[in-house]
Amino acid sequence: MKVTYYGHSCFQVEVAGKRLLFDPFITANPLAAKIDIMTLKPDYILLSHGHADHVADVEAIARHSDAVLIGCFEVVEWFRSQGIENGHGMNIGGSYTFDFGKVTMTVAVHSSSMPDGSYGGLAGGFLIQTVEGSFYYSGDTALTDDMKLIVAVEELTFAVLCIGGNFTMGAEEAFQAAQWLGCREIIGVHYDTFPPIKIDHAAARNIFEQGGSALRLMAIGESYQYLA
Ligand code: NI
Ligand code: MN
């Protein structure tokens, strides 16, 4: 599995011959100015919830790539009403097997509304299980006991966790989540983009290192290949 980071909570995972893009928020993120969304050609766009900092570039990317949207029913239906027809609505606790692997929508403790204020259903995260490995993306969330219920058929290769605090878990809560998940390879997201979520990178890394884990803070545009 190859992971590429596009800033904030946007990342792409290439797995089983497919490109999975999560929570695209690029053109409105000054930190990601060097990323040209027209170069992104995902097969699927996975949306954790409806907030603008997770869906701002969905329409543009979906139109030029014809990617299938995966997300909470209300989020997918809202995009359908905007003319993005290619979607697969899910809801918390449900699983569906796509051509790249099995997706389970997991609990997130967070709000969700669409950019125009419409109801966005429940915020969620994703557990993705494939023949090349499994990973978990928390979405925006508080630390919650529900994370103890996230058990993949095999060990998680990596987990993508929000670490910026204020709106979501900070690094300490994310470290606890990683412990519960039994995962030592963590990619941090949802930090530095806005003033309230600017973090001290060294301090965040230190929390994980002291616990025997690794916190990867990727540069925007950087890729990392996980070997199965
Ligand atoms: Ni949010
Ligand atoms: Mn957010």
Side-chain angles (χ1 to χ4, degrees), residues 136-150:
Y136 164 64
Y137 167 45
S138 67
D140 283 9
T141 182
L143 179 67
T144 167
D145 261 351
D146 289 284
M147 290 166 180
K148 295 175 183 170
L149 302 176
I150 296 165

Side-chain angles (χ1 to χ4, degrees), residues 25 59 96 124-125 152 162 181 205 221:
F25 171 73
E59 220 173 305
Y96 188 83
C162 46
L181 294 163
R205 279 202 190 91

Side-chain angles (χ1 to χ4, degrees), residues 8-9 49 51 53-54 110 140 167-168 190 194:
H8 198 49
S9 285
H49 63 299
H51 288 160
D53 62 316
H54 299 258
H110 192 71
D140 283 9
F167 303 110
T168 70
H190 214 274
F194 313 113

